[in-house]
Amino acid sequence: PRLVYTLRYSEDGSLSGYVNFTMAYFNTSDFAAEDKPKDISLGKVEICRYKDFRNPPWSDPDYRRSTEFWHILAARLAFVCVFENIVVVITSMLSWLIPDVPAVLKEQIRREAYITNEIVLKTELKRAHGEEVTEEYISSVSEEEQIRYSPHHSESPGPSDDVLLTHRQSAEPKTYV
């Protein structure tokens, strides 16, 4: 309500007059006879104030919700919608930035699925040729595939540790025509 007051209803953009803005008027003659104040020491009180955003008794639809109430309600609804969307965007970004499964584990799962597929293909090929598939054969193929597709195994020999690959630079600058 304060932000709505300062942006829409305040003349100078401050909170001066804010308390008066939040108080509604009530005509004490609208009380039922049994609900009227009995204290005579206050004198004859015709108008009292209470905290709400309602039309005063002299307006056309008396005591109904005022336009200020609807402005404040719309501002609250807008805040909730904007805040909810900000939370959704932030949580989506965090879930995108932080994967559920680490990349190393994903690679291992893919490798194991590939190895399993290779074992199945080799055993089915052996059966298709009419050869007998034994547990020993399956375990040997499994070990072979594990070694073949392990992350530290390479089929082609790489450079040995004592060989240094260097980039040769010429002493003369190159000129292009």
Side-chain angles (χ1 to χ4, degrees):
R2 287 185 210 143
L3 185 62
V4 172
Y5 177 75
T6 55
L7 294 178
R8 176 118 167 97
Y9 297 103
S10 176
E11 294 174 7
D12 58 354
S14 70
L15 287 176
S16 63
Y18 173 71
V19 174
N20 193 34
F21 169 74
T22 61
M23 304 294 277
Y25 292 93
F26 185 77
N27 191 346
T28 55
S29 64
D30 291 336
F31 275 127
E34 63 272 1
D35 295 331
K36 286 189 176 187
K38 308 276 188 272
D39 191 3
I40 302 174
S41 65
L42 295 174
K44 184 165 169 67
V45 178
E46 294 182 15
I47 300 289
C48 67
R49 306 284 306 263
Y50 62 99
K51 186 172 175 26
D52 201 0
F53 295 100
R54 298 209 176 247
N55 288 331
W58 55 84
S59 70
D60 187 24
D62 57 343
Y63 305 123
R64 294 214 177 135
R65 303 277 187 200
S66 65
T67 55
E68 292 87 3
F69 171 81
W70 297 111
H71 287 154
I72 291 169
L73 186 66
R76 287 176 176 168
L77 181 63
F79 172 78
V80 168
C81 291
V82 168
F83 183 76
E84 182 264 339
N85 284 320
I86 289 172
V87 168
V88 166
V89 166
I90 289 173
T91 55
S92 298
M93 285 176 47
L94 286 176
S95 67
W96 178 71
L97 290 172
I98 303 170
D100 292 336
V101 181
V104 173
L105 186 58
K106 275 186 184 179
E107 182 64 30
Q108 184 179 358
I109 291 170
R110 277 193 223 116
R111 189 180 309 114
E112 288 177 2
Y114 181 77
I115 290 170
T116 304
N117 195 21
E118 288 291 316
I119 293 169
V120 168
L121 288 174
K122 285 184 179 183
T123 54
E124 289 300 317
L125 183 64
K126 190 164 182 156
R127 283 189 184 135
H129 286 118
E131 300 175 23
E132 183 180 348
V133 178
T134 62
E135 288 291 326
E136 293 170 2
Y137 175 74
I138 293 174
S139 64
S140 70
V141 169
S142 175
E143 288 174 19
E144 179 184 305
E145 293 296 324
Q146 287 284 348
I147 292 169
R148 183 173 167 197
Y149 294 106
S150 72
H152 305 294
H153 177 60
S154 167
E155 297 220 351
S156 62
S160 62
D161 292 337
D162 57 338
V163 175
L164 295 175
L165 299 175
T166 59
H167 178 68
R168 296 174 65 176
Q169 297 178 347
S170 66
E172 327 170 337
K174 293 183 181 179
T175 57
Y176 298 99
V177 183

